């Protein structure tokens, strides 16, 4: 059950409508009071209204658990553009704890990350033309640009001692020689990628960016090195990559570990299958990740763990979790979360993971020491992008449902005391109506129950409407 829904909202004017109706005054001397006008119902949300919605993402809790940084995106219909800013909100969720904006948001500021010493907030911004890392001191002052990689930064992580950042950026050998060509030659099957377009022969490579120093490329290979995480002591780096002889022929990725000082690499998982989003345990002994053995990306993606030193074979995080599917993706055209890193509790014996089930996404605690699972959230709604405080006492996340595009929430580590901390769309949603979907089911192959949701538009009695069927992002239209 949701325990607290009374929260401050982002100040925003509520659209006003003129609900007054004209009353004809009778010419007789009757003294009867004319009937009061019937209030007009709020309008239903239209396609154009979607542009009014603000989208929250990427909540990151301060190590001491007192504040949460998050990204808030705005749409600008007049210029057909978007922008985003970094905001902060207190984890206490009191009525006076109003969220506040800390970056300009004139371009795209996103991906906030707290420094280990809690004094600096890093974020990505394209204010210089490409996405670069900026550092904002929390004791006051302007953000300064910390990276200047020619092809921008796609993901980054603080080194545990705060002395440097790890950044991923597209690269190819010709970039070092400043050679260019007007010809486009396709030599790989992965030359195009959704959201990126033509890759120009470049692949994601990791760079070490000292706080004060010259960036160093850690790996130079014609494959994508992605989804990294640091070992707790900052000496090694775990990452996902397909380093097979023909990497374009499958969607597989294995889990690798790089020793930064020597450049040596070791593989911890089989090259068959797909490994994603590794997370190193605080004690340095294990790496958790999401895994599927099916290289077609059509099977369950479940949580696994492996000994970081290669002393034992990989295994499911718990015996029951191998039946989970941990994708966060929800088809609402607003959120594009696919997977987030599993979250370790400080004891290095338990994990928080997302689990998709019956159209919802819930958070589960996996106790790998006692081989048990505990569901932390329940009911209707999707709980996305969880992040645990350093002391393990608070979990922050995004909660979205049929009537809420998404807000920042927090709860205790055991799932109790859930609080809504933002209400970024509340004024707009109070002035509009939304259609409540109807859950429908049917039986597929193997008598598997498949679920769907039917949105019926407001129609006059006896009227018919066309049907639009959305399946995994593909739209089918029928007029009958």
């Amino acid at each position: 059950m949701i325990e607290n829904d009374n929260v401050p909202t982002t100040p925003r004017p509520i659209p006003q409508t003129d609900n007054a109706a004209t009353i004809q005054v009778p010419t007789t001397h009757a003294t009867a009071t004319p009937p009061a006008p019937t209030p007009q119902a709020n309008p239903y949300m239209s396609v154009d209204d979607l542009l009014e919605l603000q989208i929250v993402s990427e909540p990151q809790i301060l190590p001491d658990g007192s504040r949460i940084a998050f990204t808030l995106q705005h749409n600008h219909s007049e210029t057909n553009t978007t922008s985003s800013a970094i905001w902060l909100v207190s984890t206490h969720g009191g009525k006076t704890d109003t969220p506040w904006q800390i970056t300009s948001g004139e371009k795209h500021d996103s991906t906030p990350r707290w420094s280990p010493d809690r004094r600096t907030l890093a974020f990505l911004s394209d204010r210089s033309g490409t996405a670069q890392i900026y550092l904002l001191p929390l004791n006051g002052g302007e953000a300064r640009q910390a990276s200047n990689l020619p092809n921008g930064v796609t993901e980054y992580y603080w080194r545990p001692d705060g002395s440097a950042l790890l950044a991923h950026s597209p690269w190819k050998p010709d970039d070092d020689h400043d050679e260019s060509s007007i010809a486009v030659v396709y030599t790989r099957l992965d030359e195009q990628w959704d959201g990126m377009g033509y890759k120009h022969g470049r692949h994601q490579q990791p760079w070490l960016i000292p706080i004060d120093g010259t960036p160093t490329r850690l790996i130079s290979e014609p494959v994508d090195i992605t989804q990294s995480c640091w070992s707790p002591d900052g000496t090694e780096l775990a990452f996902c990559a397909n380093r097979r002889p023909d990497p374009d022929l499958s969607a597989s990725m294995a889990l690798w570990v790089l020793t930064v000082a020597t450049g040596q690499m070791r593989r911890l998982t089989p090259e068959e299958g797909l490994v994603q989003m590794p997370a190193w345990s605080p004690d340095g002994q294990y790496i958790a990740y999401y895994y599927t053995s099916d290289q077609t990306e059509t099977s369950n993606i479940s949580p696994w763990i492996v000994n970081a030193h290669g002393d034992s074979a990989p295994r499911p995080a718990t015996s029951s979790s191998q039946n989970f599917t941990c994708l966060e993706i929800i088809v609402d055209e607003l959120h594009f979360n696919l997977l987030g890193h599993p979250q370790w509790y400080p004891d290095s014996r338990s994990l928080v993971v997302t689990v998709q089930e019956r159209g919802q996404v819930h958070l589960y605690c996996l106790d790998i020491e006692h081989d048990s699972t505990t569901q932390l959230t329940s009911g209707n709604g999707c709980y996305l992008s969880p992040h645990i405080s350093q002391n393990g006492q608070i979990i922050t996340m995004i909660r979205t449902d049929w009537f809420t595009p998404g807000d920042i929430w927090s709860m205790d580590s055991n799932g109790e005391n859930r609080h809504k901390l933002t209400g970024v769309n509340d004024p707009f949603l109070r002035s509009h109506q939304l259609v409540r979907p109807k859950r429908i089911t049917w039986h597929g192959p193997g008598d598997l129950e498949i679920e769907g949701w039917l949105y019926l538009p407001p129609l006059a009695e006896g009227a018919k409407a066309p049907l639009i069927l959305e399946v995994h992002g593909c739209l089918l239209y029928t007029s009958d």
Side-chain angles (χ1 to χ4, degrees), residues 60-69 88-92 114-119 138 387-395:
Q60 293 287 304
I61 192 166
L62 189 66
D64 66 6
S66 63
R67 298 176 182 176
I68 299 167
L88 296 180
V89 65
S90 169
T91 56
H92 301 301
W114 299 101
S115 65
D117 64 7
R118 313 174 188 178
R119 298 178 180 178
L138 296 184
H387 190 232
I388 300 180
S389 62
Q390 194 174 65
N391 61 13
Q393 296 180 2
I394 300 174
I395 302 175

Side-chain angles (χ1 to χ4, degrees), residues 308-328:
H309 309 288
D311 297 334
S312 57
R315 64 177 176 86
T318 65
S319 56
S320 60
S321 66
Q322 58 188 318
N323 297 319
F324 289 166
T325 180
C326 294
L327 287 173
E328 293 185 22

Side-chain angles (χ1 to χ4, degrees), residues 431-443:
S431 64
H432 288 73
Q433 295 188 69
L434 284 80
V435 175
R436 178 181 290 275
K438 177 182 179 182
R439 179 177 178 270
I440 57 176
T441 62
W442 59 94
H443 291 279

